[in-house]
Amino acid sequence: MPNDYPTTHRVLDAAGAAFQGRTLVNLTSGTPAEARDTADWAARRGVGYLDGAIMVPPPLVGEPGSVFLYAGPQDVFDRHRETLALLGDPRHLGADPGLAVLFNTAMLEMMYATVNGFLHAAALVGSAGVPAAEFSELALGWFMPAVLNPAWLAQQAPSLDEGAYPGDLGTLQMNFNALEHILRTSAEQGVHSEQPRLMKELAERAIAEGHGSENYFAMFEIFKQA
């Protein structure tokens, strides 16, 4: 049985009025719209509602360092915080019931994009006979922590909110050249090229919209668009 909102509603509908006057904490997966619809369902039936997301694999539930995300009324969260803490560190994100699943989806996107980047890079050097284990020593042992340090990314976050992307240390146009080289090298080495092609096309669009002299974080303006 899938762990999603339609399944949740089938279970809840079968329960009839059993939930009336109680609090429902829903930890299924889906979209923010589905979470908000379920919150409306609960409100119509006099049910307290928190939508949530499990941010750790099953073996880590209840262990120190595990995080669970919740969204919904602050008073409902506060009333059950002690119970929720038994599962893991409970983080309340706000009253909008769609926020927990939205945060979860956004972080899963980060995970898959990062893993795909590593897999494609390993395939790229693998085309020259380099073992992935050898590549990972430099790529994960040095490049990731030194060049893509999370603290450095966190320092850039205020610029995203301000829409300020000074290009004094490197421009999007300069990075576009690197993306073009990645695409050409992928084709030359005979590895899958759709991922670098998409990155190049997105950067090309950002430059066409006037962001070429700004830094690479100006891509944020492209990602905000529909």
Side-chain angles (χ1 to χ4, degrees), residues 174-191:
M174 182 189 75
N175 283 277
F176 176 78
N177 294 336
L179 292 170
E180 188 173 39
H181 296 158
I182 296 170
L183 176 58
R184 287 172 52 200
T185 301
S186 297
E188 286 182 8
Q189 295 296 118
V191 302

Side-chain angles (χ1 to χ4, degrees), residues 21-210:
R22 296 175 177 269
T23 296
L24 171 65
V25 180
N26 183 20
L27 299 174
T28 53
S29 300
T31 71
E34 289 177 314
R36 294 176 186 122
D37 286 344
T38 306
D40 290 341
W41 176 96
R44 291 193 299 269
R45 290 162 175 78
V47 176
Y49 184 78
L50 289 175
D51 203 271
I54 306 170
M55 301 307 298
V56 294
L60 296 182
V61 172
E63 295 294 324
S66 62
V67 170
F68 280 62
L69 305 180
Y70 298 98
Q74 182 72 52
D75 62 318
V76 176
F77 175 77
D78 291 340
R79 190 159 58 248
H80 299 283
R81 182 195 295 265
E82 187 174 339
T83 300
L84 298 175
L86 297 175
L87 300 174
D89 182 8
R91 308 285 185 91
H92 185 251
L93 301 175
D96 178 355
L99 284 176
V101 70
L102 182 60
F103 266 63
N104 178 56
T105 301
M107 285 187 274
L108 285 176
E109 182 196 10
M110 286 180 59
M111 179 186 74
Y112 288 119
T114 301
V115 172
N116 282 347
F118 170 69
L119 294 176
H120 187 272
L124 197 57
V125 298
S127 68
V130 178
E134 179 182 333
F135 173 66
S136 69
E137 290 181 7
L138 188 61
L140 304 182
W142 170 76
F143 186 77
M144 284 288 287
V147 179
L148 291 177
N149 190 297
W152 172 71
L153 289 175
Q155 290 172 3
Q156 313 308 312
S159 296
L160 305 185
D161 296 328
E162 297 163 5
Y165 316 103
D168 50 327
L169 297 180
T171 67
L172 184 53
Q173 181 64 61
M174 182 189 75
N175 283 277
F176 176 78
N177 294 336
L179 292 170
E180 188 173 39
H181 296 158
I182 296 170
L183 176 58
R184 287 172 52 200
T185 301
S186 297
E188 286 182 8
Q189 295 296 118
V191 302
H192 200 275
S193 61
E194 288 305 305
Q195 181 168 278
R197 178 174 289 107
L198 174 59
M199 292 191 296
K200 173 181 174 289
E201 289 173 352
L202 289 169
E204 200 166 29
R205 176 178 168 187
I207 292 170
E209 294 189 10

